[in-house]
Amino acid sequence: MFCALPLELLKADPDAFTGRIFRFLNLPVQHPDTAQKSNTGWGALTVEGYRLTNGVIRSNPLGRPDPWAFRARAALTRRVDRIVPRRLHRASEQHKRETLKARIGDTFAQSNARLAQMVDINLKALGYG
């Protein structure tokens, strides 16, 4: 027996997401405090910039300490992420979504419909075609 939940449900309805987990485990439902966001990650443009340097700046494969260039890139990335306007990140994310939708089309429509039926979740409402 397993519990399958799309990550989009966590963002769309955190109470429903956690409720399903607790009910699956046969435990009393406890809802997290979602008033304050945590571990939000970088914006789309920041991630793209970071990825562009992955081939040049690498972490130490043998563990700590990481090379100075790796640490400097991480510090610079955090600073840049704070100053780039959120609207630019959102525009980049939207562009990526549209590009993926154009490439993928309805390739996964049948398998998504089967999955939605199996897990009893309206995947279309969560953005799955």
Side-chain angles (χ1 to χ4, degrees):
M1 193 177 229
F2 67 94
C3 179
L5 297 171
L7 186 59
E8 292 82 0
L9 181 60
L10 175 60
K11 186 174 182 180
D13 191 349
D15 288 337
F17 186 89
T18 55
R20 280 181 171 254
I21 293 171
F22 280 97
R23 284 189 293 280
F24 176 78
L25 297 171
N26 201 26
L27 294 171
V29 176
Q30 299 177 11
H31 297 291
D33 176 16
T34 57
Q36 181 179 349
K37 289 187 177 188
S38 60
N39 196 21
T40 56
W42 295 329
L45 292 174
T46 306
V47 171
E48 194 64 33
Y50 192 84
R51 285 181 181 156
L52 287 174
T53 61
N54 277 345
V56 180
I57 300 173
R58 298 180 183 266
S59 65
N60 183 355
L62 301 176
R64 298 280 182 216
D66 282 322
W68 69 268
F70 185 84
R71 293 189 313 268
R73 174 180 71 160
L76 179 62
T77 300
R78 285 190 297 272
R79 287 186 185 100
V80 167
D81 189 61
R82 283 188 225 123
I83 63 172
V84 173
R86 293 290 126 196
R87 64 181 169 75
L88 295 179
H89 289 301
R90 285 191 298 272
S92 177
E93 291 166 6
Q94 184 61 33
H95 174 71
K96 285 177 179 25
R97 278 189 205 99
E98 291 169 0
T99 301
L100 281 172
K101 190 172 187 173
R103 286 184 187 170
I104 293 171
D106 62 352
T107 303
F108 300 102
Q110 288 181 329
S111 61
N112 285 345
R114 287 193 312 269
L115 177 62
Q117 190 175 26
M118 286 172 35
V119 297
D120 192 30
I121 294 175
N122 183 355
L123 293 177
K124 283 188 179 183
L126 298 173
Y128 290 86

